[in-house]
Protein backbone atom coordinates (compact mmCIF):
# COMPACT_ATOMS: atom_id res chain seq x y z
CA UNK A 1 0.00 0.00 0.00
CA UNK A 2 2.85 2.38 0.89
CA UNK A 3 4.52 1.69 -2.48
CA UNK A 4 1.30 2.57 -4.32
CA UNK A 5 1.02 5.86 -2.44
CA UNK A 6 4.68 6.64 -3.02
CA UNK A 7 4.35 5.85 -6.74
CA UNK A 8 1.26 8.04 -6.98
CA UNK A 9 3.06 10.86 -5.18
CA UNK A 10 6.07 10.60 -7.50
CA UNK A 11 3.84 10.61 -10.56
CA UNK A 12 2.07 13.75 -9.35
CA UNK A 13 5.35 15.50 -8.58
CA UNK A 14 6.81 14.72 -11.99
CA UNK A 15 3.57 15.77 -13.67
CA UNK A 16 3.34 19.12 -11.86
CA UNK A 17 6.99 20.23 -11.72
CA UNK A 18 7.40 20.72 -15.49
CA UNK A 19 4.28 22.86 -15.56
CA UNK A 20 5.60 25.06 -12.78
CA UNK A 21 9.07 25.35 -14.27
CA UNK A 22 7.72 26.61 -17.62
CA UNK A 23 5.26 29.09 -16.14
CA UNK A 24 4.91 32.40 -17.97
CA UNK A 25 3.73 34.14 -14.83
CA UNK A 26 7.25 35.30 -13.97
CA UNK A 27 6.93 38.78 -12.45
CA UNK A 28 10.20 39.86 -14.06
CA UNK A 29 8.87 39.14 -17.56
CA UNK A 30 5.78 41.28 -16.85
CA UNK A 31 8.08 44.31 -16.55
CA UNK A 32 9.75 43.81 -19.95
CA UNK A 33 8.87 45.82 -23.02
CA UNK A 34 7.16 43.81 -25.76
CA UNK A 35 9.53 42.46 -28.39
CA UNK A 36 9.28 44.01 -31.83
CA UNK A 37 8.05 40.69 -33.15
CA UNK A 38 4.56 39.91 -34.31
CA UNK A 39 2.59 37.08 -35.80
CA UNK A 40 -0.54 37.01 -37.90
CA UNK A 41 -2.56 34.19 -39.40
CA UNK A 42 -4.65 35.13 -42.44
CA UNK A 43 -7.48 32.83 -43.44
CA UNK A 44 -9.67 33.04 -46.51
CA UNK A 45 -13.19 34.36 -46.24
CA UNK A 46 -16.09 33.11 -48.34
CA UNK A 47 -16.09 36.61 -49.86
CA UNK A 48 -13.54 36.87 -52.69
CA UNK A 49 -10.77 39.39 -51.97
CA UNK A 50 -11.29 39.22 -48.20
CA UNK A 51 -9.07 37.66 -45.54
CA UNK A 52 -9.69 37.22 -41.84
CA UNK A 53 -6.76 37.91 -39.52
CA UNK A 54 -5.73 36.76 -36.06
CA UNK A 55 -2.72 38.79 -34.87
CA UNK A 56 -0.32 39.13 -31.95
CA UNK A 57 2.42 41.66 -31.25
CA UNK A 58 5.13 40.87 -28.71
CA UNK A 59 2.75 38.67 -26.69
CA UNK A 60 1.39 41.95 -25.33
CA UNK A 61 -1.43 42.79 -27.77
CA UNK A 62 -3.65 40.64 -29.95
CA UNK A 63 -6.99 40.41 -31.66
CA UNK A 64 -8.89 39.86 -34.88
CA UNK A 65 -8.71 41.74 -38.15
CA UNK A 66 -10.11 41.85 -41.67
CA UNK A 67 -8.35 42.55 -44.96
CA UNK A 68 -10.55 43.66 -47.87
CA UNK A 69 -10.16 44.81 -51.45
CA UNK A 70 -7.86 41.97 -52.48
CA UNK A 71 -7.93 40.10 -55.76
CA UNK A 72 -11.04 38.12 -56.62
CA UNK A 73 -9.06 35.00 -57.65
CA UNK A 74 -8.01 32.45 -55.06
CA UNK A 75 -4.74 32.72 -53.22
CA UNK A 76 -3.24 35.30 -50.92
CA UNK A 77 -1.11 37.41 -53.28
CA UNK A 78 -2.40 40.93 -53.79
CA UNK A 79 -3.07 44.36 -52.35
CA UNK A 80 -5.55 44.75 -49.50
CA UNK A 81 -6.69 47.27 -46.94
CA UNK A 82 -6.53 45.72 -43.46
CA UNK A 83 -8.07 46.82 -40.17
CA UNK A 84 -7.01 45.25 -36.87
CA UNK A 85 -8.84 45.23 -33.55
CA UNK A 86 -7.97 44.38 -29.96
CA UNK A 87 -9.52 41.44 -28.15
CA UNK A 88 -12.14 43.72 -26.57
CA UNK A 89 -13.27 44.91 -30.02
CA UNK A 90 -11.62 48.36 -29.89
CA UNK A 91 -9.91 49.51 -33.09
CA UNK A 92 -6.11 49.05 -33.16
CA UNK A 93 -4.54 49.94 -36.54
CA UNK A 94 -5.13 49.96 -40.26
CA UNK A 95 -2.74 49.56 -43.16
CA UNK A 96 -2.44 48.96 -46.85
CA UNK A 97 -1.32 45.33 -47.01
CA UNK A 98 0.82 43.94 -49.83
CA UNK A 99 1.32 40.18 -50.08
CA UNK A 100 3.85 38.86 -52.62
CA UNK A 101 4.94 35.28 -53.26
CA UNK A 102 8.57 34.21 -53.71
CA UNK A 103 8.84 30.47 -54.41
CA UNK A 104 7.10 28.64 -51.58
CA UNK A 105 7.22 31.65 -49.25
CA UNK A 106 5.65 35.09 -48.97
CA UNK A 107 6.95 38.59 -48.47
CA UNK A 108 4.44 40.85 -46.68
CA UNK A 109 4.45 44.63 -46.18
CA UNK A 110 2.16 46.89 -44.17
CA UNK A 111 2.08 50.50 -45.39
CA UNK A 112 0.76 53.79 -44.01
CA UNK A 113 0.34 56.53 -46.64
CA UNK A 114 2.70 54.64 -48.97
CA UNK A 115 5.49 54.24 -46.39
CA UNK A 116 6.40 50.76 -45.12
CA UNK A 117 5.55 50.48 -41.40
CA UNK A 118 6.14 46.73 -40.98
CA UNK A 119 7.65 43.84 -42.92
CA UNK A 120 7.18 40.12 -42.63
CA UNK A 121 7.74 36.71 -44.12
CA UNK A 122 5.25 33.90 -44.28
CA UNK A 123 4.25 30.52 -45.55
CA UNK A 124 1.04 28.70 -46.24
CA UNK A 125 -0.08 26.34 -43.52
CA UNK A 126 -3.05 23.99 -43.42
CA UNK A 127 -5.55 26.68 -42.41
CA UNK A 128 -4.10 29.87 -43.87
CA UNK A 129 -1.11 32.09 -44.40
CA UNK A 130 1.14 32.33 -41.31
CA UNK A 131 3.33 35.45 -41.18
CA UNK A 132 5.99 36.61 -38.73
CA UNK A 133 6.61 40.36 -38.84
CA UNK A 134 8.29 43.34 -37.24
CA UNK A 135 7.76 47.07 -37.26
CA UNK A 136 10.38 49.02 -39.21
CA UNK A 137 11.74 52.54 -39.05
CA UNK A 138 13.55 52.54 -42.40
Amino acid sequence: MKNNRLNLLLILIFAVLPILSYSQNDTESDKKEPLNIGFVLYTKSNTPGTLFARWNWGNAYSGPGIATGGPKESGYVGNYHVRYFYENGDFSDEYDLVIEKTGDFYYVSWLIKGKVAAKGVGMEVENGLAVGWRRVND
Side-chain angles (χ1 to χ4, degrees), residues 100-119:
E100 303 168 292
K101 189 167 184 181
T102 310
D104 290 335
F105 299 96
Y106 291 80
Y107 180 80
V108 183
S109 301
W110 292 261
L111 297 90
I112 299 174
K113 296 181 181 177
K115 184 177 178 186
V116 175
K119 294 180 182 180

Side-chain angles (χ1 to χ4, degrees), residues 10-122:
L10 289 173
I11 289 170
L12 289 174
I13 288 171
F14 286 112
V16 173
L17 282 179
I19 294 168
L20 296 175
S21 67
Y22 292 111
S23 172
Q24 293 186 357
N25 293 329
D26 181 13
T27 55
E28 289 299 314
S29 66
D30 292 343
K31 297 175 186 176
K32 294 179 183 176
E33 289 291 317
L35 296 174
N36 183 19
I37 300 171
F39 177 81
V40 62
L41 177 65
Y42 292 109
T43 55
K44 295 176 185 175
S45 162
N46 289 333
T47 305
T50 301
L51 302 174
F52 295 118
R54 181 80 181 126
W55 65 275
N56 177 292
W57 182 68
N59 279 347
Y61 305 98
S62 62
I66 188 164
T68 58
K72 302 302 180 203
E73 60 272 356
S74 64
Y76 295 98
V77 173
N79 297 327
Y80 302 83
H81 185 79
V82 63
R83 293 176 50 91
Y84 297 107
F85 302 88
Y86 294 111
E87 297 292 351
N88 67 5
D90 288 346
F91 175 74
S92 170
D93 299 289
E94 69 182 295
Y95 302 91
D96 291 319
L97 173 66
V98 179
I99 302 175
E100 303 168 292
K101 189 167 184 181
T102 310
D104 290 335
F105 299 96
Y106 291 80
Y107 180 80
V108 183
S109 301
W110 292 261
L111 297 90
I112 299 174
K113 296 181 181 177
K115 184 177 178 186
V116 175
K119 294 180 182 180
V121 294

